[in-house]
């Protein structure tokens, strides 16, 4: 196990796409069952969090707003490629800052897909026109729409440590509006305060109960707890042999069932990435079309190891 996972710090990790630092064959994942297609709506956000993996902020437009027409083109490609997509996910940045967010949501829902929107549920979502259309979409499509709210911790002081003073109360206001409107809600939290997962889920459960939120703290699709994503921490490389050592299948990893579309600043067209977690890593850019994105993905990043393989995390709501 120790030899396969390379637990000691080694020079040259994650340098070669196909080989680990000591020359072993790097693990890879084939697109086996594409169930979720993600769209990054842009990296602009109304707040700036301490540990945002994508560095979203009020000034970061490295990924620009994707348009409804561009999203529609990829929704058309799903049919062309005969992908068994069940869910369309929207992430950011803050998705509700994108002026086409609600049009993109409606388009996906009208095509029969489940839609998952990741948001901080703060001011961009709480604008009157946004709330009015969300309420209409909820009436028309019901459980096909899920809004996943980022609640870094169930204690206000720890949430605000990440997102800024007063953030918890503003997010709570948005969650209460979603509750009262009947919009299906989930949350995304973090496991990084020296708290085990069981204790964290109990804490979120008490928070949900206090406010009457219909969210199951033990359902990993409704209460998604992400491991810390610290790029300075030494993590193992995953070799091909690790699948047997870990008793895990490559099909369990997120890139076996999902892809993400982004539009880079200055680019004429969007591109498809292997993963929602690696928007800036060029080697995980697979091409402009879904057909090009069917290629195998080599796990040549620390997030592949810590977050997806060893952490077992997934971004989808399925």
């Amino acid at each position: 196990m120790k030899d396969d996972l390379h637990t000691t710090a080694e020079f040259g990790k994650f340098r070669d796409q196909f080989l680990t630092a000591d020359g072993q064959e790097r693990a890879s994942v084939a697109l086996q069952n594409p169930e979720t297609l993600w769209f990054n709506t842009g990296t602009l956000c109304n707040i700036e969090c301490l540990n945002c993996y994508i560095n979203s902020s009020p000034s970061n437009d490295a990924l620009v707003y994707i348009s409804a027409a561009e999203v529609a083109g990829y929704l058309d490609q799903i049919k062309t490629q005969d992908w068994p997509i069940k869910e369309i996910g929207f992430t950011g940045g803050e998705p509700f800052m994108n002026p086409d967010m609600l049009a993109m949501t409606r388009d996906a829902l009208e095509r029969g897909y489940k839609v998952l929107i990741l948001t901080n549920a703060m001011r961009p979502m709480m604008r009157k026109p946004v709330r009015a259309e969300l309420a209409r979409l909820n009436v028309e499509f019901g459980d096909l729409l899920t809004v996943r709210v980022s609640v870094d911790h169930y204690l206000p002081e720890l949430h605000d440590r990440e997102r800024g003073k007063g953030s918890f109360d503003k997010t709570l206001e948005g969650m209460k509006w979603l509750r009262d409107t009947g919009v299906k809600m989930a949350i995304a939290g973090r496991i990084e305060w020296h708290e085990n997962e069981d204790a964290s889920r109990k804490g979120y459960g008490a928070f949900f109960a206090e406010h009457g939120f219909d969210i199951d703290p033990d359902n990993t699709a409704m209460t998604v707890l992400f491991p810390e994503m610290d790029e300075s921490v030494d993590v193992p490389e995953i070799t091909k042999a690790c699948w047997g050592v870990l008793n895990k299948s490559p099909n369990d990893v997120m890139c076996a069932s999902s892809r993400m579309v982004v539009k880079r600043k200055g680019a004429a067209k969007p591109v498809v990435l292997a993963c929602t977690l690696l928007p800036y890593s060029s080697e995980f850019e697979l091409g402009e079309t879904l057909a090009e994105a069917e290629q195998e993905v080599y796990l040549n990043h620390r997030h592949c190891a810590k977050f997806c393989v060893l952490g077992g995390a997934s971004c989808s709501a399925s």
Side-chain angles (χ1 to χ4, degrees):
M1 177 79 170
K2 184 176 180 180
D3 289 341
D4 284 329
L5 293 181
H6 309 296
T7 54
T8 57
E10 295 169 325
F11 178 78
K13 279 188 180 181
F14 305 109
R15 298 288 182 88
D16 187 287
Q17 182 178 1
F18 306 107
L19 299 175
T20 58
D22 65 351
Q24 294 193 58
E25 188 175 355
R26 187 177 301 285
S28 63
V29 174
L31 184 67
Q32 292 289 344
N33 185 33
E35 294 185 342
T36 304
L37 182 61
W38 287 92
F39 292 94
N40 187 292
T41 60
T43 40
L44 287 173
C45 187
N46 56 304
I47 58 174
E48 185 171 3
C49 302
L50 285 179
N51 292 309
C52 179
Y53 78 96
I54 200 170
N55 297 320
S56 297
S57 74
S59 60
N60 179 13
D61 61 350
L63 302 182
V64 297
Y65 290 148
I66 197 165
S67 72
E70 288 164 336
V71 168
Y74 284 98
L75 298 181
D76 292 340
Q77 288 182 48
I78 292 173
K79 295 298 183 185
T80 303
Q81 294 306 115
D82 196 28
W83 281 15
I85 293 290
K86 298 177 181 177
E87 174 187 64
I88 302 299
F90 293 101
T91 184
E94 169 50 50
F96 288 111
M97 289 180 67
N98 184 313
D100 283 358
M101 183 63 237
L102 294 167
M104 296 184 292
T105 300
R106 177 172 287 279
D107 189 5
L109 289 168
E110 288 179 344
R111 294 175 191 241
Y113 297 113
K114 294 180 180 179
V115 170
L116 176 64
I117 304 173
L118 277 55
T119 178
N120 56 40
M122 295 172 72
R123 185 174 180 180
M125 190 195 80
M126 291 296 283
R127 289 172 293 161
K128 287 183 179 180
V130 175
R131 282 185 289 157
E133 179 63 4
L134 273 178
R136 282 191 291 267
L137 291 171
N138 183 60
V139 170
E140 293 179 48
F141 300 100
D143 281 352
L144 284 180
L145 174 64
T146 300
V147 175
R148 181 189 289 167
V149 181
S150 295
V151 182
D152 284 339
H153 200 274
Y154 51 85
L155 296 178
E157 58 270 25
L158 292 182
H159 176 92
D160 284 2
R161 186 183 299 176
E162 287 290 320
R163 294 178 174 258
K165 187 176 180 180
S167 295
F168 186 89
D169 288 342
K170 292 174 183 176
T171 291
L172 182 58
E173 179 186 358
M175 293 180 72
K176 288 178 177 178
W177 179 84
L178 291 167
R179 176 200 65 195
D180 294 344
T181 308
V183 177
K184 186 178 178 182
M185 194 171 18
I187 70 104
R190 296 174 183 247
I191 305 174
E192 59 174 281
W193 282 278
H194 308 291
E195 183 176 48
N196 65 44
E197 184 170 339
D198 287 343
S200 186
R201 291 191 181 281
K202 287 179 181 176
Y204 278 106
F207 168 63
F208 300 154
E210 178 185 356
H211 297 288
F213 297 142
D214 185 18
I215 305 172
D216 182 352
D218 297 314
N219 182 325
T220 57
M222 294 189 72
T223 302
V224 187
L225 300 182
F226 293 120
E228 184 180 3
M229 295 170 62
D230 185 348
E231 295 201 12
S232 68
V233 174
D234 183 48
V235 295
E237 292 188 285
I238 305 297
T239 71
K240 190 173 181 179
C242 286
W243 299 124
V245 173
L246 296 168
N247 191 29
K248 189 164 186 173
S249 168
N251 295 342
D252 298 331
V253 181
M254 197 159 49
C255 51
S257 61
S258 69
R259 291 290 185 263
M260 183 170 78
V261 180
V262 306
K263 189 171 185 182
R264 303 194 188 285
K265 187 175 183 178
K269 296 180 180 179
V271 292
V272 188
L273 309 183
C275 178
T276 61
L277 306 177
L278 301 169
Y280 303 128
S281 298
S282 60
E283 70 183 271
F284 291 93
E285 186 173 308
L286 305 177
E288 293 179 355
T289 68
L290 296 189
E292 293 172 294
E294 291 180 351
Q295 61 187 281
E296 197 164 6
V297 177
Y298 287 83
L299 305 184
N300 189 29
H301 195 281
R302 64 184 62 250
H303 289 348
C304 303
K306 184 174 182 181
F307 190 87
C308 292
V309 176
L310 301 176
S314 172
C315 285
S316 87
S318 303

